[in-house]
Amino acid sequence: MEKKVTKIGVLTSGGDAPGMNAAIRAVVRTGIYHGLEIFGIMRGYQGMMEDDIFRMDSRSVANIIQRGGTILKTARCMDFYEPEGRKKAYENLKRRGINGLVVIGGDGSFRGAQKFSQEYDIPCVGLAGTIDKDIHGTDFTIGFDTAVNTAVEAIDKVRDTMDAHDRIFIIEVMGRDAGYIALHSGIATGAENILIPERKTNINDIVNSLLEKERRKKLVNLIVVAEGDEFGGATEVEKVLKDKLPNAEIRVCILGHIQRGGSPSCLDRVIASRMGFHAVECLLEGRHNVFVGILNNKMHYIPLADAVKNKGKISDEWVRIVKILAS
Ligand code: F6P
């Protein structure tokens, strides 16, 4: 028979995302409501291996719902991918009697949780926390909405100066493997072209359309590029375009980590609160080694193993919308 979960550890791992604090708060307060002991684990799996773990109470999560970043800090911890690292982490949890784990992070963090829960008798539940939204099986990930709105606000500002000077601007947004931030922010700001890692780009098509627009005296052109597109980001795209259009006035703007910070949007706070609440209920109900997703406004519990295998897919509809609206 499965042991009842009585002590839960919570950690944030991988790239931080606005709304992680709201999720931590929900886990802590739901756990306390159910009479559980809750432990915060600092810097993700790193703190689990180094025993940087502390007891949390309701007050430890006061006044954090509106704050970006994560009070538990985060890290990308390679040692946890080694059996030795996971063993150390397990021993630290075991010594404190922690018998359930909530992991807030992206697919890499879920991969770690899945491996850990296969090897050791500590059930894990994941919460999708990543600005990239590249986790299959959920309509939302914590942080995406805030990040994409930050990108939109910044691109709108660049558009003012771009328009004043009749320039071509190439704006790089985050997304090493995923184009969701580029697609959403590009559509929302009326970008003429959007380059994403999931699709091949025909650079000659872009060049031809810029030449054709030049003939029509449409000199302002906005190109949004995900950092992980096939060329390797905005600076590389600029080189290719400059080569083919030596007289064009092109400027590059890389938005970078500004997209990961800031106060979470209402949507991110709400989904983080819902997911955090359900993560604890999952552990109590014996629904283990899953991550909590939201599909059609309903909670879904997807095996961690599936989150590991699947990557989000970009539908053709989006690509068509960009093409048609940009004319
Ligand atoms: O958190 C996801 C992400 O923001 C990616 O879009 C980006 O490529 C990466 O993290 C950057 O990570 P780091 O802050 O470790 O350089």
Side-chain angles (χ1 to χ4, degrees):
M1 220 181 77
E2 262 173 10
K3 274 185 275 151
K4 197 172 167 304
V5 172
T6 51
K7 297 188 184 190
I8 293 180
V10 56
L11 61 85
T12 48
S13 162
D16 62 317
M20 280 183 162
N21 281 327
I24 297 166
R25 173 178 176 270
V27 170
V28 171
R29 294 206 170 157
T30 308
I32 288 170
Y33 170 81
H34 285 291
L36 309 178
E37 281 181 46
I38 310 292
F39 293 82
I41 302 169
M42 296 301 291
R43 289 170 292 109
Y45 297 125
Q46 193 73 40
M48 213 159 117
M49 292 184 323
E50 291 170 0
D51 200 27
D52 197 352
I53 300 172
F54 68 104
R55 181 81 186 270
M56 296 183 88
D57 60 25
S58 210
R59 291 300 91 206
S60 26
V61 290
N63 198 23
I64 65 166
I65 195 167
Q66 78 285 16
R67 281 168 53 192
T70 156
I71 59 162
L72 295 177
K73 299 193 181 284
T74 185
R76 300 189 197 275
C77 176
M78 290 308 141
D79 289 348
F80 194 72
Y81 290 99
E82 302 300 326
E84 261 312 294
R86 292 194 292 278
K87 184 163 175 282
K88 254 194 236 161
Y90 174 72
E91 282 162 2
N92 291 333
L93 296 190
K94 206 66 194 165
R95 200 170 335 104
R96 290 169 190 273
I98 295 173
N99 50 12
L101 196 63
V102 176
V103 172
I104 308 168
D107 64 336
S109 310
F110 288 177
R111 216 172 303 136
Q114 194 217 356
K115 199 102 189 80
F116 186 69
S117 59
Q118 270 174 348
E119 289 170 348
Y120 297 107
D121 57 346
I122 297 193
C124 299
V125 170
L127 297 192
T130 163
I131 64 163
D132 288 344
K133 202 171 98 77
D134 56 351
I135 295 180
H136 184 64
T138 181
D139 291 337
F140 304 102
T141 61
I142 298 165
F144 173 74
D145 184 63
T146 308
V148 86
N149 277 297
T150 300
V152 165
E153 201 184 321
I155 297 171
D156 283 347
K157 288 183 177 157
V158 173
R159 205 176 239 295
D160 290 345
T161 166
M162 175 176 90
D163 193 57
H165 284 268
D166 279 339
R167 279 176 173 156
I168 297 169
F169 251 92
I170 308 173
I171 302 190
E172 181 179 302
V173 296
M174 273 188 161
R176 197 162 31 206
D177 307 308
Y180 289 103
I181 297 179
L183 264 186
H184 284 242
S185 63
I187 289 177
T189 54
E192 271 75 17
N193 296 96
I194 304 176
L195 279 55
I196 55 175
E198 293 88 343
R199 298 268 168 162
K200 284 253 162 236
T201 303
N202 186 336
I203 204 76
N204 287 328
D205 276 358
I206 298 182
V207 171
N208 290 336
S209 82
L210 288 173
L211 287 171
E212 188 269 325
K213 282 174 188 144
E214 197 180 13
R215 280 193 289 276
R216 286 198 271 135
K217 299 266 175 286
K218 183 179 189 287
L219 302 172
V220 170
N221 275 282
L222 172 61
I223 302 173
V224 174
V225 181
E227 61 177 319
D229 85 306
E230 65 178 285
F231 295 101
T235 312
E236 296 308 310
V237 174
E238 184 200 21
K239 280 187 201 150
V240 179
L241 287 181
K242 264 282 188 208
D243 194 43
K244 293 179 184 274
L245 301 165
N247 299 324
E249 266 237 68
I250 305 178
R251 294 289 185 276
V252 167
C253 174
I254 298 175
L255 299 186
H257 286 78
I258 179 181
Q259 295 160 95
R260 281 230 303 254
S263 179
S265 66
C266 172
L267 179 64
D268 277 330
R269 296 180 201 193
V270 171
I271 60 163
S273 301
R274 289 178 75 192
M275 287 178 175
F277 168 87
H278 283 282
V280 174
E281 303 236 313
C282 266
L283 284 171
L284 290 175
E285 288 162 6
R287 225 192 281 262
H288 296 161
N289 310 328
V290 294
F291 80 90
V292 179
I294 302 178
L295 280 173
N296 297 325
N297 204 27
K298 290 211 170 60
M299 305 314 291
H300 278 255
Y301 308 101
I302 299 113
L304 284 171
D306 290 355
V308 172
K309 275 194 237 88
N310 297 324
K311 281 267 181 194
K313 300 232 166 28
I314 304 285
S315 97
D316 287 341
E317 177 209 346
W318 288 77
V319 179
R320 286 193 66 223
I321 289 175
V322 176
K323 229 187 170 116
I324 290 168
L325 300 193
S327 51

